[in-house]
């Protein structure tokens, strides 16, 4: 009988300090790259929206991260898949930044460096990681009626601060969809087939439906995220969409430069997540913390 290799894994709840909240992510510790089919098989077995695979490269002096959906698609962008991977490495006490300067911390995601800022919460000692996304770029607009139909809403339900649905990109192009209020936001029942058709027509990925919150509630917006084109029907926390949203709100004078804000996501799924965001002159910060909920071994 052929001996199988064991790999350690963590399951972390990302954008949360509480288990079984936030966005669950499986993080698999490897010693290098694996065959593509192995990445895909493991990601399918876990069944989370994404699974991240990490190892430390002495040659690059950096943590390497690759992430896959259960349908086998490899993911770009600095989202919960990267945040959870970095938190997992830090909680495992891997020396991923020992060979880097404090002012230039980064990890490698699909061969590209992603800059990070890392601190530790003084009360919990959990790592708090901020990912540096590119400046937000507002791309094309999508007719409101198309998205209203695809989301099972009326056109007037999308009427919010005179915004129109707009594709916005930092790392990944997502569509920002304004919704009138929280009640309507949480009543959405999307037609995933129609959303997939819109994604393909406009060459964008997910749909970040948002409503502007009362700042007394502690967050600038409440959101839901749908990305059926890559097999994610709803995601409880989406860092690659939160960056474009704060950039979009800043361009619309609904948020200020160099000011910290929070985005609430995942309420409908009973997995409330808090995503910390800030638009700066040359980039967008998206961050938060993660907690280990499970750990174990898998075999290949």
């Amino acid at each position: 009988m052929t001996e199988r290799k064991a790999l350690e894994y963590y399951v972390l709840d990302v954008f949360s300090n509480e288990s079984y909240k936030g966005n669950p992510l499986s993080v698999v510790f490897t010693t290098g790259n694996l065959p593509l089919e192995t990445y895909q098989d493991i990601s399918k077995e876990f069944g989370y929206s994404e699974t991240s695979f990490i190892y430390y490269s002495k040659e690059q002096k950096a943590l390497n991260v690759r992430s896959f959906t259960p349908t086998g698609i490899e993911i770009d962008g600095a989202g919960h898949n990267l945040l959870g991977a970095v938190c997992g490495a830090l909680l495992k006490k891997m020396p991923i930044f020992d060979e880097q300067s404090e002012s230039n911390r980064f990890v490698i995601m699909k061969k590209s460096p992603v800059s990070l800022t890392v601190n530790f919460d003084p009360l919990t000692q959990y790592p708090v990681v901020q990912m540096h996304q590119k400046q937000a770029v507002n791309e094309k607009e999508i007719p409101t009626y198309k998205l209203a139909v695809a989301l099972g809403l009326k056109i007037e339900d999308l009427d919010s601060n005179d915004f129109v649905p707009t594709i916005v990109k930092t790392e990944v192009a997502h569509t920002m969809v304004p919704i009138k209020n929280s009640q309507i936001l949480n009543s959405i029942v999307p037609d995933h087939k129609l959303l997939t058709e819109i994604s393909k027509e406009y060459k964008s990925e997910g749909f970040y439906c948002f409503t502007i919150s009362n700042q007394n509630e502690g967050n600038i917006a409440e959101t839901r995220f749908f990305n059926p084109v890559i097999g994610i029907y709803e995601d409880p926390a989406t860092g690659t969409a939160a960056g474009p949203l704060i950039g979009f709100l800043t361009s619309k004078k609904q948020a200020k430069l160099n000011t910290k804000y929070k985005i609430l996501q995942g309420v409908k799924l009973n997995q409330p997540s808090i995503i910390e965001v800030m638009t700066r002159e040359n980039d967008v910060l998206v961050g938060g913390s993660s907690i280990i909920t499970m750990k174990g071994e898998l075999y290949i």
Side-chain angles (χ1 to χ4, degrees), residues 59-79:
E59 292 74 28
Q60 295 169 304
K61 298 181 180 178
L63 187 74
N64 276 248
V65 183
R66 295 182 70 177
S67 300
F68 292 81
T69 70
T71 57
I73 297 171
E74 186 165 9
I75 296 297
D76 282 315

Side-chain angles (χ1 to χ4, degrees), residues 6-292:
L7 298 177
E8 187 177 6
Y9 73 83
Y10 286 173
V11 173
L12 299 104
D13 285 310
V14 184
F15 292 117
S16 175
N17 285 330
E18 186 178 350
S19 285
Y20 311 111
K21 305 296 182 184
N23 197 354
L25 175 78
S26 39
V27 176
V28 180
F29 301 92
T30 75
T31 55
N33 281 313
L34 302 174
L36 178 61
E37 186 178 1
T38 303
Y39 289 130
Q40 293 171 331
D41 286 344
I42 293 171
S43 301
K44 180 182 177 183
E45 190 78 10
F46 274 114
Y48 295 120
S49 61
E50 291 163 33
T51 293
S52 292
F53 300 83
I54 67 174
Y55 71 91
Y56 186 78
S57 168
K58 281 280 189 184
E59 292 74 28
Q60 295 169 304
K61 298 181 180 178
L63 187 74
N64 276 248
V65 183
R66 295 182 70 177
S67 300
F68 292 81
T69 70
T71 57
I73 297 171
E74 186 165 9
I75 296 297
D76 282 315
H80 93 283
N81 56 316
L82 186 61
L83 176 65
V86 174
C87 287
L90 292 170
L91 290 166
K92 191 174 167 61
K93 301 195 182 302
M94 292 173 64
I96 61 173
F97 298 125
D98 282 11
E99 297 183 273
Q100 298 177 5
S101 68
E102 193 167 334
S103 61
N104 184 33
R105 287 178 167 173
F106 66 95
V107 299
I108 305 293
M109 181 84 187
K110 275 188 75 176
K111 301 182 180 178
S112 298
V114 178
S115 297
L116 304 169
T117 302
V118 179
N119 296 290
F120 287 85
D121 186 300
L123 295 176
T124 65
Q125 289 305 304
Y126 292 144
V128 179
V129 177
Q130 291 176 310
M131 303 171 289
H132 297 220
Q133 296 183 1
K134 299 181 182 73
Q135 283 181 303
V137 177
N138 295 347
E139 298 185 342
K140 62 183 77 170
E141 297 176 354
I142 298 178
T144 299
Y145 75 88
K146 286 192 175 186
L147 281 166
V149 172
L151 296 171
L153 300 177
K154 301 171 185 174
I155 290 176
E156 54 265 32
D157 292 337
L158 276 69
D159 178 22
S160 176
N161 292 294
D162 296 322
F163 297 162
V164 296
T166 304
I167 297 170
V168 184
K169 182 176 182 179
T170 54
E171 308 294 319
V172 183
H174 294 307
T175 303
M176 305 296 109
V177 185
I179 304 295
K180 186 175 283 185
N181 57 47
S182 178
Q183 184 177 357
I184 294 171
L185 176 74
N186 288 299
S187 74
I188 291 171
V189 180
D191 183 323
H192 297 299
K193 184 179 177 184
L194 286 178
L195 287 179
T196 299
E197 289 173 0
I198 294 170
S199 287
K200 290 178 178 177
E201 180 182 354
Y202 287 89
K203 295 181 174 58
S204 69
E205 278 197 13
F207 300 86
Y208 208 37
C209 301
F210 71 93
T211 185
I212 301 294
S213 299
N214 183 327
Q215 279 293 287
N216 294 332
E217 297 172 9
N219 50 274
I220 190 171
E222 182 181 347
T223 63
R224 292 178 70 187
F225 181 74
F226 310 103
N227 196 0
V229 78
I230 64 166
I232 297 175
Y233 293 112
E234 182 163 4
D235 201 25
T238 316
T240 58
L245 178 58
I246 196 61
F248 181 65
L249 294 180
T250 304
S251 73
K252 299 295 183 182
K253 310 301 183 189
Q254 294 290 316
K256 298 176 182 177
L257 276 175
N258 303 312
T259 303
K260 294 180 181 178
Y261 295 97
K262 294 180 180 179
I263 293 171
L264 173 65
Q265 190 180 336
V267 172
K268 180 72 173 180
L269 298 175
N270 197 29
Q271 293 173 260
S273 306
I274 298 294
I275 306 171
E276 299 172 1
V277 292
M278 180 166 65
T279 304
R280 302 194 301 184
E281 201 69 48
N282 298 312
D283 61 7
V284 173
L285 299 184
V286 176
S289 194
S290 307
I291 185 170
I292 301 169

